[in-house]
DNA sequence: TTGTAAGCGTTATCAA
DNA sequence: TTGATAACGCTTACAA
């Protein structure tokens, strides 16, 4: 691998001049620049990230810390990750995915070894020990998701509240008056204080009440088989519901197939909205589901921008923002039957 | 952040001695060592990875290159990744997940910037341009999966062949004589020459023939709805099959529920084996499926070991290995009905 | 507009 | 058993 010194020698300039050309950090005459660029091309020179980092005290690497306890990464997570990586690249940084357990020292270790300029923390929970660690450190960070009290923290998050209000509005507009929210109520998530779940529940209840609509609430585990059970539970306990908002990816297919097994047609007998999910899940059933899609791409970009803004020291010291889910119409929603509701 | 110089000053030794203590690279008297260690503790010293990398010409970072085109990461991939990260850590390295598109220059870029000591390439395809790039470079690498001609390449892979033979043997042992392989035959994968698919098909056909059993072959897209269709296709075209080996994660639930819709009971009327998948998928149906489980953990560990062996220059210059799937019995397999077959 | 030279925080070679 | 000191590849005052 050729070094800057090699380039300088070949172009017959000083090593500093080469640096000026590469980084456009000082004016260089056209002729000199040409010689340097020719030399670089001839040698196939690429600047060494290590030397640069050591000298400039910035590695330009940011890490996306992801909890290793996670069992799978869904389409939106992958989408998020890919988008974040692209945004980082566009802003002159590299983004790496760094798996961490929830043990306290893991974050410390990454911070101390000096390889990382800043971190993005995903899957943030309402009470998140990792956030406290970051807060207590000098490491710049941004959160994807929110803690219980995010007032002083930089974050971007899904706007579950307004997205859900939109969904309710959409269904009420179609004429539905009794609507069920089916979410993922596993004990694990509830105990962990999983923000999206908690906030969706509260918003749904409040918004339905505000509109004078009847809210039904159901939970099931995140598996198809649980979804089947939820379908039966719905038919047994809330037969007058004409629409369901489902916020449980893994249960979707079982739920829909459970309904179908009991002769319930979608959307003729029941409208189904898939909430905070992804197109591949929406397309996994017949008919395809009307979807409020997680804004993975937008979230990834915004998160990276927020972090790099901090690193470059430009803009506000701290940015917060939420992004709504996007509406993608499917064939699973319609006006309720005349006799229903 | 304290530096080695700070530690040296406090312990009243030279900076070199501190290095000797940390790296155990030269003998140091007990007393001196104690002073150094005390100083490190007192200052909360952590060695800076950047300086170390620059001086030693090794970053001790390895990258798991993962194709950004991938839409989701399944349990086995996450398991694999986590296990690889742990193994790397145990061997004194950091592992980061680096998303790359399939564009040719991406790999080059990572190589040239000097941050990475070696790479692990996952989701290797039979004809993989990324492998050619790596082969043509000086970057140490190991493959997870195999190309069409892997003779000269370091890799670890799933032993689909022997695992599938085991599955066939298991079903034959139960008394089944007409067995169906249901795989993921999307045009995309077939065109890309996806190794696991190709090798499983060939092995299944050959092994069934060798045993004088009747092989049925079905393919469907990777979605639940396609799985339902496959169930109907099976009943229509091969009603005498008494067992199915399914190698298509996403279609599993639809397939099983499609069977159930047609009154086919598992395992009484049909035995179902889930092949090359994960426990969460096996547990997503009723009854839980008998599973040949992808050896994600083992694969991750072996892959990292293979790579780091190269980096340390110990062991053979190149290691190759395959790992069988592990058997996890479920409730979806039994002897065929007396009148069946 | 260009060059000189002092770092950045380690490792590693030689001496002592 | 320890200590000086020259790298490692680059950035960045400061000079010229």
């Amino acid at each position: 691998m050729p070094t800057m010194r090699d380039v300088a020698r070949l172009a017959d300039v000083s090593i500093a001049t080469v640096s000026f050309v590469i980084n456009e950090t000082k004016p260089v005459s056209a002729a000199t620049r040409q010689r340097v660029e020719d030399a670089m091309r001839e040698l196939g020179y690429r600047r060494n990230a290590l030397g640069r980092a050591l000298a400039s005290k910035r590695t330009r690497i940011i890490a996306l810390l992801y909890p290793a306890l996670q069992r799978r990464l869904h389409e939106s997570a992958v989408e998020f990750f890919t988008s974040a990586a692209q945004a980082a690249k566009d802003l002159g940084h590299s983004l790496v995915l760094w798996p961490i357990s929830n043990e306290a020292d893991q974050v410390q270790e990454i911070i101390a070894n000096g390889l990382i300029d800043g971190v993005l923390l995903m899957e943030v929970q309402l009470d998140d020990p990792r956030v406290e660690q970051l807060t207590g450190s000098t490491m710049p960070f941004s959160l994807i998701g929110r803690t219980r009290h995010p007032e002083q923290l930089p974050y971007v998050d899904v706007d579950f509240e307004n997205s859900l209000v939109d969904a309710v509005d959409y269904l009420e507009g179609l004429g539905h008056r009794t609507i069920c929210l089916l979410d993922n109520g596993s004990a694990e998530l509830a105990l962990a204080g999983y923000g999206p779940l908690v906030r969706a529940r509260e918003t749904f209840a409040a918004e339905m009440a505000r509109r004078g609509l009847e809210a039904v609430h159901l939970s099931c585990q995140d598996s198809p088989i649980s979804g089947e059970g939820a379908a039966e539970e719905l038919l047994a306990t809330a037969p007058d519901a004409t629409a369901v908002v489902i916020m449980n990816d893994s249960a979707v297919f079982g739920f829909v197939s459970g309904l179908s097994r009991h002769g319930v047609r979608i959307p003729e007998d029941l409208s189904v909205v898939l909430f905070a999910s992804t197109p591949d899940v929406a397309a996994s059933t017949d008919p395809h589901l009307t979807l409020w899609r997680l804004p993975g791409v937008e979230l990834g970009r915004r998160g990276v921008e927020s972090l790099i803004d901090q690193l470059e020291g430009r803009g506000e010291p701290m940015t917060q923002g939420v992004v709504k889910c996007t509406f993608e119409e499917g064939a699973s929603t319609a006006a309720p039957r005349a006799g229903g509701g």
Side-chain angles (χ1 to χ4, degrees), chain A:
Chain A
M1 284 282 133
T3 73
M4 233 160 137
R5 166 165 259 98
D6 299 323
V7 174
R9 207 149 21 210
L10 183 57
D12 195 32
V13 295
S14 82
I15 186 174
T17 302
V18 178
S19 176
F20 299 155
V21 169
I22 290 180
N23 301 309
E24 298 186 329
T25 156
K26 280 203 180 180
V28 171
S29 75
T32 310
R33 157 173 321 245
Q34 191 59 55
R35 288 214 313 285
V36 171
E37 283 172 349
D38 288 349
M40 294 200 305
R41 210 179 334 272
E42 185 173 334
L43 295 173
Y45 171 78
R46 307 290 261 96
R47 92 143 99 38
N48 179 293
L50 233 43
R52 171 151 119 124
L54 191 56
S56 67
K57 304 186 171 214
R58 300 185 43 194
T59 64
R60 290 172 179 76
I61 303 177
I62 60 182
L64 178 58
L65 266 35
Y66 106 96
L69 48 86
Q70 195 113 343
R71 302 188 50 91
R72 25 175 56 199
L73 292 175
H74 290 280
E75 185 179 12
S76 63
V78 173
E79 208 177 62
F80 168 81
F81 178 30
T82 307
S83 159
Q86 184 59 50
K89 196 178 170 191
D90 292 344
L91 294 171
H93 288 245
S94 295
L95 179 139
V96 300
L97 189 53
W98 208 297
I100 58 168
S101 67
N102 264 18
E103 292 148 37
D105 53 338
Q106 292 264 304
V107 172
Q108 264 317 311
E109 216 170 297
I110 290 182
I111 292 174
N113 86 59
L115 220 52
I116 295 299
D117 279 351
V119 306
L120 235 41
L121 191 62
M122 64 185 280
E123 295 286 333
V124 171
Q125 302 188 337
L126 286 182
D127 303 286
D128 202 311
R130 302 168 303 167
V131 173
E132 286 171 31
Q133 280 217 37
L134 286 171
T135 310
S137 79
T138 59
M139 173 69 60
F141 67 93
S142 274
L143 309 180
I144 312 300
R146 263 173 288 179
T147 59
R148 198 179 299 282
H149 298 294
E151 291 77 19
Q152 305 303 323
L153 303 173
Y155 68 82
V156 299
D157 199 359
V158 178
D159 189 351
F160 287 102
E161 289 85 345
N162 283 312
S163 303
L164 192 47
V165 166
D166 283 358
V168 168
D169 186 67
Y170 169 80
L171 289 172
E172 187 186 19
L174 287 175
H176 297 275
R177 302 202 53 82
T178 303
I179 305 174
C180 170
L181 173 68
L182 171 58
D183 64 24
N184 177 336
S186 73
E188 192 186 337
L189 287 180
L191 279 174
Y194 188 60
L197 182 66
V198 173
R199 281 151 50 207
R201 279 186 190 173
E202 293 175 356
T203 300
F204 182 72
E207 183 64 15
M208 290 293 283
R210 197 180 70 74
R211 292 168 182 255
L213 303 178
E214 187 173 347
V216 178
H217 179 236
L218 245 50
S219 285
C220 72
Q221 303 281 95
D222 48 352
S223 76
I225 197 78
S226 306
E228 275 191 358
E232 280 163 20
E233 193 180 345
L234 176 70
L235 298 178
T237 64
D240 51 344
T242 60
V244 175
V245 175
I246 177 165
M247 185 174 173
N248 185 332
D249 271 29
S250 311
V252 164
F253 190 80
F255 181 71
V256 168
S257 101
L259 289 174
S260 144
R261 179 160 313 184
H262 286 79
V264 176
R265 291 161 305 161
I266 299 172
E268 292 82 356
D269 303 322
L270 192 73
S271 284
V272 175
V273 162
L274 177 60
F275 187 72
S277 186
T278 55
D280 65 334
V281 174
S284 72
T285 60
D286 181 20
H288 289 195
L289 301 177
T290 293
L291 166 71
W292 262 264
R293 175 180 186 162
L294 281 172
V297 170
E298 172 89 1
L299 226 47
R301 193 175 54 70
R302 296 270 298 263
V304 165
E305 285 173 358
S306 156
L307 178 57
I308 294 184
D309 271 2
Q310 293 179 59
L311 297 181
E312 316 268 88
R314 67 155 174 271
E316 289 77 60
M318 168 193 69
T319 67
Q320 300 183 334
V322 289
V323 185
K324 280 216 280 192
C325 293
T326 57
F327 174 67
E328 297 191 1
E329 187 158 34
S332 65
T333 44
R337 281 163 308 161

